[in-house]
Amino acid sequence: MNAESLEEAIQRSGNVVELLRNSPAKPTIFPITPEFTNWRSEQRSWRETVALLDQSHHMTDLYINGPDALQLLSDTGVNKFANFKVNTAKQFVAVNADGYLIGDAILAYLAEGSFNLVGHATVLDWVQFRLETGNYDATIERDDNSLVRMGAPKIYRYELQGPSALALTEKLIGGPVPDIKFFHMTRFTIAGCQVRAIRHGIAGQAGFEIFGPWADGERVRDAILEAGEEFGLCQVGAKAYSTSPLPSGWVPTPVPAIFTDGTPTEYRKWLPANAVGSLGGSFASPNISDYYVTPWDLNYGRVVSFDHDFIGRDALERMRENPLREKVTLVWNSDDVADAFRSLASDGLPAKYFDLPKARYAFYQVDQVLAGGAGVGLSFDCGYATNEQAFISLATIDKRYVEPGTQVSVLWGEEPNSAKPQVEAHRQVEIRATVAPVPYSDFARETYRSN
């Protein structure tokens, strides 16, 4: 039996918002060890020593090869491709015909005519559809994450992050680290295995993302663990890893703009219904387009290039004249967060439970941001950051409220409670929040994001 398509599910439900809000799909799952020590110490490692994060299992890889591979990416992505060269990488961003975000992923230029697009499946599905339904001389090899794939991944992928990451890398390769820029790639040898490395940063820290054939992964990891003892290396499990976007300012899964006319009906017929996630949070509109964001809402305007034709170009040219919102960090009021926790041990209906360290309870988390009782924006990923000793979220809000120090609030919890398995009976609470810069990490904001 063929799986139900997204379009069939929408027609059956009658309303996209209700379909997603009551979906049993879980938030993002990282199929690795939850904790190697404890998530607090593991979060501290990328700020104080060096962290090893295993990215081999939770992301999807799309390998695009052929004479028209670059043309496919250029036709689909908003980025500048004229100066894209082998051994570089970029944050690939795609929008629909109306200019609203479909998603983003990391795009690596491996060799002439050979690319690796890696990240959440949202934007990878879109690129695959464009190839399969377009006239491109290119092929795709897809390596789904370990929750979907049968067997081992094609490659291992490790992150070394933190103040000692470069010193550890020098020890591993027996010499100076190649002097390469952010999002540039190089090769070196670890434990007799050749690895490729992207100069990269997550969780607001510097380091390398290293990858190679899966068969070499255990040997490379063992070498990293042995050499890392000197530097206080800490393996980071799923719980801490899930919070790494918070200090670096990346919103992992905004609602993709694939449910309305800006994206072809043929795509929704092509896409299985189970390929989209659940919707949660206090923002409540019956119109799914109200949940969409533009590149400027998430500070992706810097990567939009109008030097080529791409899907959504005309719409983005109109939008750029007057972007209405901007991405910020919201630091939630500690007393209000404590009151929400206290309600769990008090009489009456409690507030929505805060899971720790990541409190997000839906794949697409969208909470209402308020100022003076009126809606002024949307809050997305949320959780506790040990290094900042703060509960924070990433949000996009009206430009008149983006000055650091501005006071707003986040409405936490759903009303009415949805049928998602992660949602228990609860009441909504308003939690005060202070606007702060994004990325919240000083290092990320002042170093690699300023380049």
Side-chain angles (χ1 to χ4, degrees), residues 37-363:
T37 54
N38 64 83
W39 59 261
R40 285 81 62 201
S41 298
E42 291 170 16
Q43 282 185 338
R44 288 193 182 98
S45 69
W46 61 59
R47 179 69 60 84
E48 298 175 357
T49 54
V50 58
L52 171 60
L53 306 98
D54 188 348
Q55 293 185 316
S56 308
H57 295 283
H58 73 281
M59 296 190 295
T60 300
D61 285 271
L62 204 63
Y63 298 93
I64 310 167
N65 298 285
D68 291 345
L70 182 59
Q71 188 63 54
L72 166 70
L73 294 163
S74 177
D75 290 348
T76 311
V78 307
N79 309 75
K80 185 178 184 66
F81 289 93
N83 59 353
F84 198 25
K85 301 183 184 302
V86 173
N87 285 328
T88 61
K90 64 177 59 190
Q91 184 180 21
F92 176 86
V93 176
V95 300
N96 73 0
D98 294 332
Y100 291 102
L101 189 73
I102 288 179
D104 70 294
I106 301 302
L107 176 64
Y109 201 157
L110 302 177
E112 289 298 336
S114 180
F115 302 85
N116 176 208
L117 189 62
V118 57
H120 287 296
T122 308
V123 73
L124 279 65
D125 289 333
W126 176 239
V127 172
Q128 183 173 343
F129 169 78
R130 301 304 308 184
L131 173 58
E132 292 183 4
T133 59
N135 186 25
Y136 296 100
D137 183 5
T139 61
I140 276 181
E141 179 185 357
R142 182 171 178 132
D143 192 23
D144 282 301
N145 68 38
S146 293
L147 295 172
V148 178
R149 179 200 334 98
M150 299 295 292
K154 179 181 174 69
I155 65 170
Y156 69 85
R157 192 183 301 274
Y158 304 140
E159 287 278 352
L160 288 175
Q161 302 291 324
S164 296
L166 301 186
L168 170 57
T169 305
E170 289 185 341
K171 182 178 180 179
L172 286 165
I173 66 177
V177 172
D179 184 18
I180 59 172
K181 296 179 180 179
F182 181 71
F183 263 7
H184 283 60
M185 289 189 288
T186 187
R187 296 177 186 265
F188 40 66
T189 301
I190 297 177
C193 301
Q194 188 176 78
V195 306
R196 299 190 75 155
I198 301 177
R199 189 74 165 82
H200 194 8
I202 66 170
Q205 294 298 315
F208 280 105
E209 175 183 305
I210 62 175
F211 58 99
W214 176 254
D216 294 341
E218 185 174 357
R219 186 173 179 179
V220 171
R221 184 182 65 247
D222 288 348
I224 293 171
L225 293 175
E226 181 179 354
E229 290 183 9
E230 174 188 345
F231 302 96
L233 179 140
C234 182
Q235 291 190 81
V236 173
K239 286 189 174 183
Y241 191 1
S242 69
T243 67
S244 61
L246 292 170
S248 62
W250 176 59
V251 177
T253 51
V255 174
I258 62 174
F259 304 101
T260 44
D261 290 343
T263 307
T265 302
E266 288 72 23
Y267 180 59
R268 294 186 290 276
K269 291 179 178 178
W270 177 90
L271 189 68
N274 60 12
V276 299
S278 57
L279 173 64
S282 61
F283 181 71
S285 169
N287 301 314
I288 190 63
S289 59
D290 292 338
Y291 297 79
Y292 293 171
V293 293
T294 74
W296 286 275
D297 291 339
L298 298 186
N299 293 11
Y300 293 163
R302 58 189 166 79
V303 307
V304 178
S305 175
F306 295 105
D307 68 346
H308 67 295
D309 290 328
F310 58 87
I311 298 168
R313 173 180 170 167
D314 291 344
L316 291 186
E317 285 191 302
R318 294 190 296 270
M319 288 179 180
R320 69 172 169 173
E321 300 302 323
N322 186 32
L324 301 177
R325 288 179 174 173
E326 187 174 313
K327 185 169 64 173
V328 298
T329 303
L330 297 180
V331 182
W332 294 24
N333 181 275
S334 58
D335 289 335
D336 291 355
V337 172
D339 285 344
F341 272 106
R342 188 178 298 112
S343 72
L344 300 173
S346 303
D347 292 336
L349 190 64
K352 176 75 184 76
Y353 176 69
F354 286 99
D355 202 4
L356 291 179
K358 181 64 81 69
R360 180 177 125 204
Y361 58 88
F363 191 76

